Amino acid sequence: MERSAALRLDAEWTTGGGIGIGLTSAERQRTLVRLIDALAPHADGDPSVAARLGLRYAELARHHFEAGRRGPALSAVGEAVRHCAGPARRDPEHARWYARALTSQAIYLAHPLSDELGLPRYAFQGPGSHPPNTAHADGLAALAATRRAVAVWRGLDPAEPGNREGLAQAYAFLGDRLEELGDPVEAAAWAVRAERGLCALRADDRDELRALGNDAAAGDPKLGRDGPHTALLEHLGDQLERRLRRCPFADGLTRLRAEDLLPERLLPLAVLAARIDGVEAAAIADGLRLELPEVERTLRARSWRAVWRFDTRDADGAPWTPMAHPWRGATAVTDRSAAAVGADLTDAFLTAPDRPPAPVHWRLAVWWEDEDHLDGARFRHARAPGA
């Protein structure tokens, strides 16, 4: 097919209602493959055609991924990245296409590291479950691709709101990749950077609309809760809270605070997290650069929900069986660590008349807020017979 005919076919796809609307999955795939076959012979030495070829490969990759075909999706998005890389050096629009292709590649690579809810499967450092070697290697490759996307966005004109938005979103994706690899501290740091970038964009939107007049501003959704960045900001806020719950105090919460990456609204949560981990009030105040009375007021005013569960098993290697109430429950706790709660529960268990007989193995886990994966427990203790 001649170059002009191939470009005409591609234009019909993008401007003539093509984009897959009304097509079955098989029809959409056949059309994309046809477009790729038409553009490919003209891509060498023609940056414009190469960039469009990269776009179609990216769409094919997304089609495969949404259909559950990760292998073909990775193959197609690899071609998208390869074809978009050259044109990205020549034109800002092509650079944006390249950055988005890199982000998609990272998402597909990292997919095994997240569960069906999109939450990280292996979010806890130290002892516990770890991803298979192949998944971990893919996660590292995903992190590298996301860092390249961030570098592309940083190289674009920051005066353009679209570039600033792209950079903020890339920061959010970088935080996701770091969280999947078990680094909640860095993941939180990048979420804060993303949040600040989006908040600055929203403030600019408001200023621009106010300059147009009160009537125009009042009727524009950019000023309300349905603005273009609101959903992502709410999502980032949820992510930040979840990540801060898993950050260690030393070299975690303290580092975020020192680098001005711990938002003021989340300082009470950081104080509570440190106390749950057993840090005393004076050390919390020193590490988070707060006044001691402020820390003490926070600890008196904010309780946390301790959720606990005892499990038993007959012998090593046998499955663990959760115990019933009262050895499984939850309560509000004020100004106490998870270890202190665990110690009280252990004492109560050891002196209870209905405790399991001596040959039984038992273990205790205490969580903050919700019973979850054992690796996420704030306190864990196991006892074998005779111990």
Side-chain angles (χ1 to χ4, degrees), residues 14-380:
T14 56
T15 63
I19 63 173
I21 296 175
L23 298 181
T24 66
S25 177
E27 289 170 339
R28 178 180 176 81
Q29 182 173 331
R30 282 196 298 269
T31 304
L32 284 168
V33 170
R34 181 185 173 206
L35 283 169
I36 287 169
D37 289 343
L39 292 168
H42 309 288
D44 287 343
D46 190 327
S48 177
V49 176
R52 289 185 176 278
L53 180 59
L55 271 187
R56 301 308 154 234
Y57 268 119
E59 287 183 279
L60 181 62
R62 184 168 61 250
H63 171 79
H64 282 311
F65 189 73
E66 290 173 352
R69 297 186 293 268
R70 179 172 174 264
L74 285 172
S75 178
V77 80
E79 290 295 317
V81 168
R82 184 170 70 87
H83 285 94
C84 286
R89 293 190 288 269
R90 298 168 175 261
D91 178 81
E93 182 62 20
H94 294 162
R96 287 187 277 269
W97 295 358
Y98 178 48
R100 294 183 187 114
L102 285 167
T103 299
S104 296
Q105 183 182 47
I107 290 171
Y108 305 157
L109 280 166
H111 182 64
L113 297 176
S114 293
D115 62 18
E116 60 279 0
L117 298 177
L119 298 176
R121 294 182 187 274
Y122 311 97
F124 304 100
Q125 295 178 321
S129 58
H130 294 276
N133 289 338
T134 53
H136 186 254
D138 282 350
L140 292 174
L143 179 62
T146 310
R147 290 193 187 280
R148 288 200 298 275
V150 167
V152 173
W153 285 113
R154 281 177 172 168
L156 295 174
D157 182 3
E160 292 191 21
N163 294 338
R164 290 166 57 202
E165 181 172 3
L167 180 59
Q169 291 175 341
Y171 285 166
F173 284 120
L174 184 55
D176 292 345
R177 304 292 80 83
L178 287 159
E179 184 180 26
E180 290 161 346
L181 290 168
D183 192 344
V185 180
E186 277 298 300
W190 287 103
V192 171
R193 294 182 179 106
E195 184 181 70
R196 287 177 178 171
L198 291 171
C199 285
L201 279 168
R202 189 165 65 175
D204 289 349
D205 288 340
R206 287 174 172 168
D207 291 343
E208 180 181 343
L209 289 167
R210 288 193 182 99
L212 296 175
N214 291 333
D215 292 340
D220 196 291
K222 289 182 179 180
L223 293 182
R225 290 188 53 81
D226 297 328
H229 306 120
T230 299
L232 181 53
L233 281 168
E234 290 178 352
H235 176 63
L236 284 170
D238 292 341
Q239 284 182 323
L240 262 174
E241 290 197 20
R242 186 178 72 246
R243 291 168 187 175
L244 289 178
R245 288 175 187 271
R246 296 200 308 275
C247 287
F249 179 69
D251 239 6
L253 297 173
T254 54
R255 179 161 69 83
L256 291 172
R257 179 65 166 160
E259 295 175 2
D260 192 28
L261 291 170
L262 188 56
E264 291 289 328
R265 73 177 192 281
L266 294 177
L267 280 173
L269 180 70
V271 168
L272 193 59
R275 188 70 190 98
I276 291 170
D277 279 348
V279 184
E280 295 298 328
I284 295 173
D286 184 57
L288 296 182
R289 296 185 297 172
L290 298 170
E291 297 296 328
L292 180 57
E294 181 183 356
V295 170
E296 292 172 337
R297 281 195 301 272
T298 298
L299 293 176
R300 286 194 302 269
R302 289 181 67 110
S303 62
W304 63 280
R305 185 172 181 262
V307 181
W308 73 85
R309 189 185 75 215
F310 282 89
D311 302 329
T312 61
R313 68 180 181 185
D314 293 331
D316 287 330
W320 289 98
T321 302
M323 296 184 70
H325 181 80
W327 304 115
R328 183 177 190 173
T331 191
V333 179
T334 302
D335 197 10
R336 300 194 72 206
S337 68
V341 173
D344 286 350
L345 289 166
T346 300
D347 289 344
F349 184 78
L350 291 173
T351 57
D354 58 344
R355 63 165 292 193
V360 171
H361 298 242
W362 60 269
R363 72 184 182 190
L364 164 65
V366 179
W367 291 271
W368 178 9
E369 194 65 35
D370 295 301
E371 184 178 312
D372 196 2
H373 197 283
L374 197 66
D375 290 349
R378 311 306 295 225
F379 173 83
R380 291 166 61 181

